[in-house]
Amino acid sequence: DVFEAVNDRTLGDVFQSMQRIGDKLVLCINNSDKIVVINRSDRKLVGTINIPKPRYILPVSEAKAYVSTLFSNKIYIINPQTLQVTGSITMPAQNIEGMLQHQGSVYVCPWDTAVNKIFRINPATDEVIDEITIAGRAPQEVLVDKFDMLWVLSGNVPKKKRAALTRIDPSRGQILGSYLF
């Protein structure tokens, strides 16, 4: 209701996620196939970017951010300053969800029940450069711990894929532990 009160219009259908980039808030409006950008201070609309089924945004630099999408094998590249799509990365799997930038690489999770891998992207070239096998299927989220190890949450229980946590050493691409639920 904050957006509507300030901008005298609705935000759209399925507000999926939000990311702060500089003095802007960048909102993924999943079912409306758009990203809405507002000023952080007054919540006024700055503009929109049309992207099919946006899910999450990962700022890569001041002039570049990755946008994951549902029902697609693409990550869209946007410039959050100019509000333009500047490219895309074709991924080897569908439904990219969680993304993490760590130690010069971007790790992405394809929430695809046929996949038991996460992928590593070089953000300088926007190319997939590696894949790391995980314990479960359908990876959804990746985080880093205080020891610089990755933790990947995977699973899709309604589709008969057990939930799991996998701890990975990113420097070697090696599984250090896995915990099935």
Side-chain angles (χ1 to χ4, degrees):
D1 293 341
V2 172
F3 178 86
E4 188 172 355
V6 170
N7 294 286
D8 198 31
R9 64 169 72 167
T10 63
L11 188 55
D13 188 15
V14 186
F15 175 16
Q16 176 68 34
S17 67
M18 176 174 62
Q19 181 69 47
R20 186 178 92 187
I21 301 177
D23 62 348
K24 307 280 189 283
L25 297 173
V26 184
L27 294 69
C28 289
I29 314 301
N30 183 266
N31 209 41
S32 294
D33 297 322
K34 66 182 178 179
I35 292 174
V36 174
V37 180
I38 61 175
N39 286 319
R40 186 172 156 226
S41 60
D42 62 9
R43 309 299 193 256
K44 287 189 179 180
L45 178 67
V46 174
T48 61
I49 305 168
N50 296 321
I51 290 181
K53 306 294 179 253
R55 301 286 287 168
Y56 299 99
I57 299 168
L58 177 70
V60 177
S61 70
E62 286 187 28
K64 180 165 52 171
Y66 290 163
V67 179
S68 64
T69 57
L70 188 63
F71 309 127
S72 167
N73 68 334
K74 295 224 184 274
I75 293 175
Y76 287 88
I77 305 166
I78 63 167
N79 183 324
Q81 296 174 350
T82 64
L83 306 181
Q84 302 212 347
V85 175
T86 59
S88 65
I89 303 168
T90 301
M91 298 299 298
Q94 300 279 341
N95 299 330
I96 303 304
E97 285 278 308
M99 300 177 290
L100 169 75
Q101 187 168 11
H102 179 62
Q103 296 180 340
S105 294
V106 172
Y107 296 89
V108 298
C109 294
W111 194 46
D112 182 332
T113 57
V115 177
N116 67 337
K117 299 174 185 334
I118 62 171
F119 299 96
R120 190 164 62 105
I121 294 173
N122 177 339
T125 62
D126 301 320
E127 294 177 348
V128 177
I129 57 173
D130 198 10
E131 59 185 44
I132 300 171
T133 302
I134 62 168
R137 298 226 178 250
Q140 187 173 17
E141 189 67 41
V142 58
L143 301 170
V144 65
D145 68 18
K146 67 181 182 178
F147 304 107
D148 285 331
M149 299 298 121
L150 302 179
W151 287 84
V152 178
L153 174 65
S154 60
N156 188 330
V157 175
K159 294 196 176 186
K160 310 262 187 272
K161 302 300 176 194
R162 279 177 81 179
L165 275 175
T166 305
R167 187 170 188 234
I168 299 168
D169 179 345
S171 64
R172 297 183 310 194
Q174 177 183 14
I175 294 177
L176 302 175
S178 58
Y179 309 91
L180 298 173
F181 298 66

